Amino acid sequence: MGVDIQNKIRLALGSVKDHASIGKAMIYNHHDRKAFSDIEIAVLRATGHDNGPIGDKYMHEILFLVSNSPGSIPFLAERISRRLCKTRHRLVALKTLSLIHRLLRGGNRCFEQQLRSAHVSGHLQMSTNSFLKCSDPWSSFLRSYAAYLEERVGWAINQAGKLEPVMFTGLEFGCYEEKSVDMVFRKLPKCQAFIDRVLDCSPRDIVPAADSLAQAALVNTLKESFQVYIMLCEGIGILINMFFDLTRPARALACDILKRTSRQSKELHDLYETCKRVMENKNLEYPNVQIITMDHVLALEQCSSFMSTSTSTTPPPLSDCLTTLGKESEKGENGDNGSSSSQFSCTMETKISKVWVVFEEDDGELQVPMAMDIV
């Protein structure tokens, strides 16, 4: 009972603060800066101390005011950042972060680009310093969500309505100029950084069932993670197909990417399963996460090492490496089948090589050439 009274008192005090801030903005509502004052008032109303979600009318009002006021986006970014920096109330902080997220999702491409520029220039800041000393789950979620948005600013919605990373010019990879290599060495690390920020926003012991604000924020985060995960899978498939065409340093970098993906695939699978249980929104279309085991990565590393030390110009078939490693894994784990629903799974296959190999004795005599079967 005492907790309910305290919450009501906090809400009442917060409401008074909101009215005072709005009144102050109205006082400076001069004709030459009326549009800016209206933007500030709309931000204050959208991020009030009440428990309700951000009203669509405030979102539409902000977008309308900004579109009709050239040069107002840096001002909007500053007012949002100020609101987030000054508040000590978790609901206000969450609503302010959610406002940033919705603006990134709801504006046109030109608006997104200007908002991204405001972040690069320092006008838009997502500081949660007010909650750094707090160890409660709510404060931890706020910090994780803010870190996610810091990464999200580096992504844009393309004409097809899908997320894609904003790639800056000047990043080159020597002789690699093909689109497939660009996907591997530029986009895949961006996808992995994005997924890491999503994994930090776990709902376990953080989002109560009745908390619509936090769940709405997490739903938008999950939806965006679905798109990025699909892009990640496409890139991993390209990486595997081109692996033996890469130079040795590039193969080492590719193996590092696969190791990170191996860890992420298991954690992302667990996160989605948790969200399916605790989230009220049951209409989310979760992708089927393909778990990549470290056995698969080790198989590629063994093939890469063989290529680096062998005088043969033809690498061993990838299926042979995986099959051999699978046998060793089964022996080492006492019958563990090591099965995995992964795109890297393959069946055993026997191939006959037409290459004749000549064996040389110590005394210099040559033996009869013989054909070798490669299994």
Side-chain angles (χ1 to χ4, degrees):
M1 187 66 180
V3 177
D4 292 337
I5 295 176
Q6 290 180 359
N7 289 335
K8 290 180 180 180
I9 293 175
R10 290 194 185 96
L11 288 175
L13 292 175
S15 179
V16 172
K17 291 180 180 179
D18 291 340
H19 284 294
S21 299
I22 293 173
K24 183 179 179 180
M26 288 180 174
I27 292 176
Y28 295 99
N29 191 356
H30 300 296
H31 177 73
D32 57 343
R33 63 186 305 273
K34 182 179 185 302
F36 284 9
S37 297
D38 291 342
I39 291 174
E40 182 175 4
I41 293 171
V43 169
L44 292 171
R45 288 174 174 170
T47 59
H49 286 73
D50 60 280
N51 292 324
I54 299 176
D56 291 338
K57 65 177 182 179
Y58 299 128
M59 285 292 305
H60 297 157
E61 182 180 0
I62 291 174
L63 293 174
F64 174 79
L65 292 171
V66 170
S67 63
N68 289 276
S69 303
S72 61
I73 291 183
F75 176 83
L76 168 66
E78 288 179 352
R79 286 299 176 265
I80 292 176
S81 302
R82 181 182 178 184
R83 181 69 160 169
L84 181 61
C85 181
K86 292 184 64 176
T87 187
R88 301 294 186 273
H89 199 285
R90 67 180 192 180
L91 289 179
V92 175
L94 179 57
K95 292 176 77 170
T96 306
L97 292 173
S98 298
L99 176 61
I100 297 173
H101 201 174
R102 292 192 62 177
L103 288 173
L104 288 171
R105 293 170 56 87
N108 55 35
R109 300 191 69 181
C110 181
F111 176 82
E112 291 179 15
Q113 183 177 0
Q114 294 184 56
L115 201 60
R116 189 177 305 111
S117 299
H119 178 259
V120 173
S121 63
H123 291 88
L124 179 61
Q125 299 181 9
M126 305 172 202
S127 173
T128 54
N129 292 335
S130 301
F131 304 92
L132 286 178
K133 297 181 180 179
C134 303
S135 58
D136 60 287
W138 246 102
S139 299
S140 177
F141 177 76
L142 286 175
R143 293 192 296 267
S144 299
Y145 187 40
Y148 169 79
L149 292 178
E150 289 278 1
E151 180 65 30
R152 172 63 176 81
V153 172
W155 291 67
I157 300 176
N158 58 25
Q159 294 180 348
K162 304 296 183 180
L163 275 178
E164 62 180 10
V166 179
M167 309 305 297
F168 299 98
T169 59
L171 186 61
E172 303 295 340
F173 292 93
C175 62
Y176 299 118
E177 298 178 354
E178 297 181 1
K179 183 178 179 181
S180 57
V181 181
D182 176 80
M183 162 68 83
V184 171
F185 293 105
R186 299 183 69 175
K187 291 187 178 180
L188 276 183
K190 290 283 293 182
C191 292
Q192 291 179 321
F194 190 100
I195 294 298
D196 275 338
R197 299 288 76 79
V198 173
L199 292 172
D200 292 337
C201 298
S202 174
R204 288 189 293 268
D205 302 326
I206 293 177
V207 184
D211 197 334
S212 59
L213 284 176
Q215 291 226 7
L218 195 54
V219 164
N220 288 332
T221 301
L222 289 173
K223 288 180 178 179
E224 292 176 343
S225 75
F226 299 162
Q227 297 182 18
V228 176
Y229 174 70
I230 292 175
M231 182 184 299
L232 178 67
C233 290
E234 294 174 351
I236 293 298
I238 294 174
L239 175 62
I240 295 300
N241 291 332
M242 65 185 295
F243 185 81
F244 292 118
D245 296 328
L246 300 174
T247 62
R248 182 177 180 180
R251 291 199 304 270
L253 179 58
C255 286
D256 290 339
I257 291 175
L258 287 173
K259 289 177 182 178
R260 188 177 180 183
T261 304
S262 175
R263 172 186 60 82
Q264 287 183 327
S265 62
K266 180 63 170 63
E267 295 180 4
L268 193 63
H269 175 271
D270 294 342
L271 173 65
Y272 287 168
E273 291 301 317
T274 300
C275 291
K276 290 176 183 179
R277 294 194 304 268
V278 304
M279 297 289 290
E280 291 182 345
N281 191 326
K282 303 300 182 181
N283 297 323
L284 293 175
E285 298 181 0
Y286 292 88
N288 182 24
V289 178
Q290 302 294 319
I291 298 178
I292 304 172
T293 68
M294 284 302 298
D295 289 347
H296 299 136
V297 184
L298 293 176
L300 285 176
E301 284 190 322
Q302 289 184 0
C303 292
S304 178
S305 299
F306 178 86
M307 292 174 60
S308 301
T309 58
S310 176
T311 58
S312 173
T313 58
T314 304
L318 177 60
S319 59
D320 293 351
C321 295
L322 294 180
T323 301
T324 302
L325 184 65
K327 291 180 179 179
E328 295 176 355
S329 177
E330 289 179 0
K331 294 179 181 178
E333 297 178 6
N334 297 324
D336 186 8
N337 57 15
S339 60
S340 174
S341 57
S342 170
Q343 58 181 324
F344 301 106
S345 300
C346 59
T347 58
M348 184 181 301
E349 181 180 0
T350 301
K351 295 187 177 181
I352 305 301
S353 173
K354 297 181 180 179
V355 179
W356 288 86
V357 181
V358 177
F359 292 89
E360 184 175 356
E361 295 290 347
D362 294 337
D363 57 2
E365 296 181 359
L366 299 180
Q367 290 190 357
V368 180
M370 59 183 299
M372 298 294 294
D373 292 346
I374 301 178
V375 180

